[in-house]
Amino acid sequence: MEHRFYTLDVFTNNRFEGNPLAVFTDGDGLSDDQMLVIAREMNLSETVFVQKPTEEEALAGCASSRQKKNSSSLGIP
C-alpha cells in the first residue's frame, strides 16, 4: 500500500523543532483500522488523513474535504 504524506513541524518557526505531525493527502478508501495502523507506525503525536467529502456532505454544501485525525486520544502512544 502506497500513500503520499508530508511531515510538518507545528508551533515553531524553526525546522526540526516544535510538534511533528504527519498529513496523508490521500486518505480516501482507508478504513479506520488501516488509519490506526498507519498512525501507530508514524509514531507521532498527530496523524491527519485528508478525505474527499461524502456525497451527503457535498449535497449539504459542507467543506470541500474531510480530515480524520488519529492521536493519542485514540489509544496510540
Side-chain angles (χ1 to χ4, degrees), residues 30-42:
L30 292 172
S31 70
D32 287 348
D33 288 339
Q34 288 172 314
M35 286 187 247
L36 285 170
V37 167
I38 292 168
R40 280 189 199 106
E41 179 67 23
M42 297 305 297

Side-chain angles (χ1 to χ4, degrees), residues 38-55:
I38 292 168
R40 280 189 199 106
E41 179 67 23
M42 297 305 297
N43 197 31
L44 298 172
S45 60
E46 301 284 343
T47 303
V48 176
F49 298 88
V50 179
Q51 300 172 315
K52 293 177 185 165
T54 64
E55 184 176 340

Side-chain angles (χ1 to χ4, degrees), residues 6 21 30 56 59 61 63 75:
Y6 299 91
L21 65 93
L30 292 172
E56 183 178 285
L59 292 174

Side-chain angles (χ1 to χ4, degrees), residues 2-75:
E2 288 188 27
H3 293 277
R4 177 176 292 184
F5 70 93
Y6 299 91
T7 55
L8 306 170
D9 292 314
V10 295
F11 309 121
T12 185
N13 292 323
N14 303 313
R15 290 180 89 176
F16 308 115
E17 293 181 12
N19 187 33
L21 65 93
V23 177
F24 283 77
T25 58
D26 60 347
D28 290 319
L30 292 172
S31 70
D32 287 348
D33 288 339
Q34 288 172 314
M35 286 187 247
L36 285 170
V37 167
I38 292 168
R40 280 189 199 106
E41 179 67 23
M42 297 305 297
N43 197 31
L44 298 172
S45 60
E46 301 284 343
T47 303
V48 176
F49 298 88
V50 179
Q51 300 172 315
K52 293 177 185 165
T54 64
E55 184 176 340
E56 183 178 285
E57 291 168 336
L59 292 174
C62 293
S64 61
S65 67
R66 299 182 298 141
Q67 69 178 10
K68 180 106 180 189
K69 180 173 76 169
N70 289 305
S71 66
S72 57
S73 65
L74 297 174

